[in-house]
């Protein structure tokens, strides 16, 4: 079942090492099929070289394995809660990419410093709080998803306007309307995390991108008046 | 028409990912044909793997498409204004290369710290001001070109003496007598942006290159007394 | 003799340049055979391209060459003392990988800043003291092993709970139940050394990972309640 | 003439881009033939892809071209003066490698922070002064060689004990008993320049390597009691 999605999820998982975002098995991509209510995700701890499309695991939104021989990614409950709470999402990516993970460890938001940021993220990429002991005990990966949702709700951010988050002390999650755009957003996030630190090292008084330039760049690529790319 | 130039522009566009200057479609190269008054530029948002010479778009200096099936780069009006205002230019490059973009985000000029800089740029590479709301509204990409021209005029810089600029909060543009030298200058700019930050991190009191060494290195490679390379 | 182990040690040595951990001959991997009491190690100063499985040297725990045409790694006595003092060890790696070596030169422990650390190391990776003149004179490489053992003893650390150390002014050693896991730990150490510096550069007030998250991540991958990966 | 040396110089020039030490034509390797009194050097401004062994230029110590169709490297007079003043030298390398060039721009010596340094350089790698206007006018590349010699003389350093120097505001020169070891030293210099900055960024109070460890590491690889590698 869901053979085309398995093929796509497999392919997008392979994009992660190709873009230098993962070492070993430190990353996973999933894609949601809204019709069936199931999503497809990478198996846990299987190396990218050995991965086949048929290894992908089909899971429902309550983390039941619907099809597959292998255990799904240990982060599956985080993916599930995000798909459940945000119907706009079609694909999710988690990595430990170097620069985004360093930002997650630093515990601060990634403020927009330039148009490379503004072309993809409409404002700061937020960093969550740490999970409490109670949350860890009651289901770490599930509660991780809840903390992501809480952060977007409290900050009143549109889930596709800022398609990324940093988990404090852990690393980035990105998402999109499908798996491919979630991977794209993971690459952009890694790059802006690098650029932002460098910009502040060059000039520690460097300012955030003015709102007017942020608006211009985000909106020339997104929304009804976008004019970047081909029709 | 302009088949040789299309081939060259296509080839020089492919140099950008080869030198690690672009991710996805984040860059474009154009070349000017002064005889016809047209220039040739990469299409917008097309990935480098899929690019063919016949995809290149022929445009006039008022941004009219003369030939081509695809939309030209969204940065086309910036290229057009530069070709119009500076008759010496034969090629232009725009990228979001990591280190030069970080410098653009920092908002400061790239001062000459060493001979790697002086071999190509005869003095600091300037960083522009941000565009105003009025400029953004009246034609963002066109006004971007005007801000570049303004910066060179106000600072009384020769356009080929310092063949590069940083757009504050955006990224670098480089140029040259042809597309190939514009790409060369983009590579040099990225490298000196990296070296300059590192030099100041090693020794925050490090001084700019003395004028006498800047002169010597620039002039052994440029002008009538140059003696670097083969005849 | 020990042909399977020679093959494995050869293969794991080749992983070091593949993961970007060594230049030239600056690294070595060994594996212990507890049954015979011998270990197998890379020959000294032989380049990775020229290495063959039959070049691997069989040594006993008193540094006697049991089999092999070539001199074993000059670090052999360090490996021997570690295998002698820690019966849990099956593989040991030494490299001069860039970021871990820089941390070793800085002389400070690598504190846990994130879950990338916690997934592999259960607490700070310690940095040793320098060796004294007496220790250097009495047998530098042998005493290096003793200083590693002293550090773990004094800090009351489990050798497999924190399978790595930094030698002050020198570089990292990592280990594991076999050569493959020792190489894995060398890759992780390099990555967290990079992430930790970056995290503190982004936010110099960034805090260590809370103990509760360290516990959760280490224990979901290690010990009897681990649930990461396949059975 | 000198066909074997031409082949070797060509081969060692190709090592520079392979080790990531040069972009475009920014580097050159030469080798000295003491018997004939001539040295062989890369032609000026020829790209590494196009280079053939027969392109190498044979020059005498007064910079006369003895054989070759092409102009020799513009840095030829620097090589010549070094071969003349230091009879121990058999090979010389000049690059603009990123980290060593940044150190040269910073204007400070590379102090020994670890054994990666001590294995190759017996003490700090010195940084020269800038050249004066008079020196630039009287023969820039020739006087560059004289400033290198002056630096070693004034600091009373053995030319093969510390086989490298940084030219203030320019970049590194390295050398050795032959071209291959000069290239090796260029790779090591680049690596320690990177490690040293990182070590001080991790811990700005980090200390230099104690003399006793410097001695131990340098002497286990160099001199009559060396025991690293194969006989």
């Amino acid at each position: 079942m869901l053979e085309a999605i398995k093929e796509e999820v497999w392919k997008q998982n392979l994009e992660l090492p190709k873009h230098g975002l993962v070492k070993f098995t430190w990353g996973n991509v999933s894609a949601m099929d809204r019709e069936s209510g199931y999503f497809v995700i990478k198996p846990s701890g299987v190396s990218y070289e050995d991965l086949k499309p048929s290894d992908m695991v089909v899971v429902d939104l309550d983390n039941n394995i619907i099809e597959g021989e292998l255990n799904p990614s240990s982060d599956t409950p985080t993916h599930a809660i995000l798909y459940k709470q945000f119907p706009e999402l079609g694909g999710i990516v988690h990595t430990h990419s170097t620069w985004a993970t360093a930002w997650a460890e630093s515990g601060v938001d990634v403020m927009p410093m330039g148009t490379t940021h503004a072309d993809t993220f409409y404002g700061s990429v937020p960093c969550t709080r740490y999970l409490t002991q109670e949350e860890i005990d009651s289901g770490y990966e599930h509660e991780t998803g809840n903390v992501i949702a809480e952060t977007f709700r409290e900050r009143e951010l549109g889930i596709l306007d800022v398609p990324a988050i940093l988990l404090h002390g852990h690393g980035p999650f990105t998402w999109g309307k499908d798996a491919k755009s979630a991977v794209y957003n993971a690459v952009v996030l890694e790059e802006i995390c690098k650029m932002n630190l460098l910009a502040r090292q060059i000039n520690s008084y460097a300012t955030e991108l003015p709102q007017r330039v942020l608006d211009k760049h985000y909106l020339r690529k997104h929304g009804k008046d976008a004019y970047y790319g081909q029709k």
Side-chain angles (χ1 to χ4, degrees), chain A:
Chain A
M1 64 188 301
L2 303 178
E3 298 308 321
I5 298 187
K6 281 185 197 165
E7 180 89 18
E8 176 66 7
V9 169
W10 167 76
K11 192 180 139 197
Q12 294 302 329
N13 268 289
L14 295 189
E15 289 291 300
L16 299 184
K18 247 177 70 182
H19 283 287
L21 299 183
V22 301
K23 292 181 183 299
F24 301 114
T25 62
W26 304 353
N28 44 71
V29 180
S30 72
M32 181 73 203
D33 178 56
R34 291 287 167 192
E35 203 170 320
S36 65
Y38 301 150
F39 66 101
V40 175
I41 192 163
K42 179 179 173 292
S44 181
V46 177
S47 75
Y48 289 95
E49 301 93 84
D50 300 336
L51 220 53
K52 300 185 301 292
S54 60
D55 293 333
M56 301 301 111
V57 188
V58 181
V59 190
D60 72 13
L61 291 183
D62 297 315
N63 303 307
N64 300 303
I65 298 178
I66 302 300
E67 192 196 64
E69 306 286 308
L70 297 164
N71 295 340
S73 164
S74 59
D75 298 310
T76 295
T78 312
H79 292 245
I81 199 88
L82 292 176
Y83 285 128
K84 211 182 246 185
Q85 301 217 6
F86 300 104
E88 306 95 316
L89 302 194
I92 298 175
V93 170
H94 174 50
T95 78
H96 285 216
S97 66
T98 309
W99 293 80
T101 301
W103 274 84
E105 295 183 354
S106 79
V108 297
D109 297 353
V110 187
M111 79 296 285
M113 294 295 295
T115 64
T116 315
H117 184 122
D119 284 338
T120 299
F121 301 104
Y122 194 45
S124 289
V125 174
C127 185
T128 67
R129 61 173 174 82
Y130 290 121
L131 271 68
T132 64
Q133 185 68 61
E134 291 66 35
E135 288 167 335
I136 292 171
D137 293 343
S138 88
Y140 177 67
E141 293 83 4
H142 178 81
E143 294 299 338
T144 294
N146 279 331
V147 166
I148 294 173
E150 170 199 301
T151 305
F152 270 75
R153 206 168 49 238
E154 286 187 354
R155 303 206 188 188
E156 301 181 351
L157 294 172
I159 196 75
L160 287 181
D161 296 338
V162 181
I165 202 161
L166 303 175
L167 297 169
H168 195 181
H170 188 157
F173 270 80
T174 62
W175 46 75
K177 63 182 198 317
D178 53 27
K180 188 181 177 180
S181 58
V183 169
Y184 180 90
N185 294 338
V187 175
V188 178
L189 179 62
E190 179 69 1
E191 186 67 6
I192 61 169
C193 283
K194 182 170 185 182
M195 286 174 173
N196 275 27
L197 173 57
L198 297 176
R200 291 282 170 103
Q201 286 182 326
I202 294 163
N203 175 11
S204 62
Y205 297 98
T207 54
E208 286 192 26
L209 194 66
Q211 186 67 37
R212 63 183 185 275
V213 185
L214 180 70
D215 286 347
K216 176 65 192 177
H217 268 265
Y218 189 77
L219 298 172
R220 82 173 186 170
K221 278 198 156 180
H222 303 269
K224 67 175 174 37
D225 295 328
Y227 57 90
Y228 182 91
Q230 307 301 324
K231 279 299 96 49

